[in-house]
Amino acid sequence: MTRERRPASSGGRITAALFACLLAACSPSQETQKAHPAMWLAEDEDTRIYLLGTMHALPHYIDWDGGKVAEAVAAAGELIMELSPDELAAAGEEFARLAPRPAPLPIEKRLTPSALAHYRALEAGGPAFEADALDDWAVMVLMGQRVAQRAALTPENGVEAQLTDDFRAAGKPIGGLETARSQLMLFEGLDPETQRALLTRAAEGAAEAVADVRALTAAWSRGDVAALEKVVNEDIDAVPRAREAIITGRNRAWSGWIKRRMAKPGTVMVAVGAGHLVGSEGVPAMLAADGLMVRRVQ
């Protein structure tokens, strides 16, 4: 399997929001740019859990790990991400197992003429996607990776990769909230109509995808949670049946993990996609609604 076929650490989101697990913005400037991503702290008498919103892929010149984030990394005794390093390494094999269709279906029969034209233009930027043999959700993942390639983004420059290096260097444990299979099954388990709607929307927005994600990452860099929430909601509300599987259900599960972890003393860094931490259905809001003390610290 080629490197391009390997999914990023998360299932992704359509256009700006649903590609965010695979992409981040590419700024025209190559000078180092300071970023101040939003971060929250949930705490009680003997437990502190930092919640850092991430971008899984970034250009090399984004400097995001100073200030309060650096303090939280130094204070935390363990790191929890969406996927542990071992699960991330297993994502390619899981994708290869889950992505194929039971029977081929030409991409021309799945997309409208307009969406197909945008899809073909994106595909022209590299090797063919071989979409006829793949499920709709898998085609969308490959499209997201192509956009990342065009924008010169790499997971190696993403937040999770750098946090992993930092915690490993310090000899601190690293865990995950999900498995590679469970993440991909979020899409594999969607009904065919929802998968098709996601794929169609991704194809229709392919021409603007880099610009859209550039705006998303600019909002992330300045910690603009209102702008992040707006992008996430606009995209996911366009396919409302996907919201529970991709956003709300996961946020609820992660909030449950955090509440259980509060029973154990210590300091933890939880780093997950930025879109999961914003709005009334974001993890901080869910925790606060359940009576936990949560405040934004950056």
Side-chain angles (χ1 to χ4, degrees), residues 2-296:
T2 65
R3 183 175 180 82
E4 187 167 334
R5 280 291 184 89
R6 178 174 177 169
S9 64
S10 200
R13 300 188 181 102
I14 51 179
T15 59
L18 294 187
F19 279 164
C21 292
L22 301 172
L23 314 178
C26 180
S27 167
S29 171
Q30 295 298 307
E31 297 180 359
T32 298
Q33 298 180 6
K34 294 287 186 181
H36 303 279
M39 183 172 67
W40 291 259
L41 174 63
E43 61 182 335
D44 61 16
E45 294 82 0
D46 57 5
T47 308
R48 294 163 62 85
I49 300 181
Y50 289 95
L51 307 172
L52 175 64
T54 72
M55 286 290 182
H56 305 311
L58 286 170
H60 66 86
Y61 48 83
I62 299 293
D63 181 7
W64 55 268
D65 61 342
K68 295 293 184 180
V69 172
E71 295 174 12
V73 169
E78 65 178 307
L79 170 65
I80 301 295
M81 302 183 294
E82 294 180 29
L83 295 182
S84 70
D86 287 346
E87 286 296 328
L88 179 58
E93 292 183 2
E94 289 294 344
F95 182 80
R97 279 193 286 267
L98 294 174
R101 293 180 55 84
L105 178 63
I107 193 68
E108 293 84 357
K109 294 186 177 181
R110 306 191 213 181
L111 297 175
T112 64
S114 175
L116 181 63
H118 291 302
Y119 168 88
R120 291 297 190 202
L122 181 64
E123 186 180 40
F129 294 143
E130 301 177 2
D132 295 0
L134 301 176
D135 286 335
D136 287 359
W137 68 266
V139 178
M140 185 180 67
V141 169
L142 298 185
M143 291 172 62
Q145 291 182 325
R146 181 62 55 81
V147 174
Q149 183 183 59
R150 286 188 172 186
L153 309 176
T154 67
E156 289 79 10
N157 290 321
V159 173
E160 285 84 354
Q162 186 165 332
L163 287 175
T164 296
D165 289 344
D166 291 345
F167 276 75
R168 277 178 168 167
K172 299 176 182 178
I174 304 172
L177 295 164
E178 298 175 333
T179 66
R181 180 175 179 83
S182 71
Q183 280 203 341
L184 295 178
M185 284 299 297
L186 294 170
F187 292 90
E188 176 74 6
L190 291 173
D191 63 89
E193 292 77 15
T194 300
Q195 286 196 39
R196 187 62 48 82
L198 290 172
L199 174 61
T200 300
R201 183 167 172 82
E204 289 173 343
E208 296 80 31
V210 171
D212 288 345
V213 181
R214 179 178 296 132
L216 184 69
T217 299
W220 171 82
S221 295
R222 63 180 183 267
D224 188 343
V225 296
L228 288 170
E229 181 184 3
K230 182 175 184 292
V231 173
V232 170
N233 284 339
E234 284 180 351
D235 266 356
I236 200 67
D237 285 346
V239 189
R241 286 172 293 180
R243 174 179 284 278
E244 174 63 24
I246 297 172
I247 301 292
T248 312
R250 299 170 77 198
N251 291 356
R252 192 180 302 113
W254 298 350
S255 298
W257 184 94
I258 291 167
K259 287 186 289 184
R260 293 189 297 272
R261 181 59 183 79
M262 293 295 291
K264 179 181 177 181
T267 301
V268 182
M269 167 71 77
V270 174
V272 298
H276 291 282
L277 302 184
V278 300
S280 61
E281 294 183 338
V283 173
M286 286 185 175
L287 293 173
D290 285 338
L292 272 69
M293 182 180 297
V294 183
R295 59 189 172 94
R296 185 171 172 181

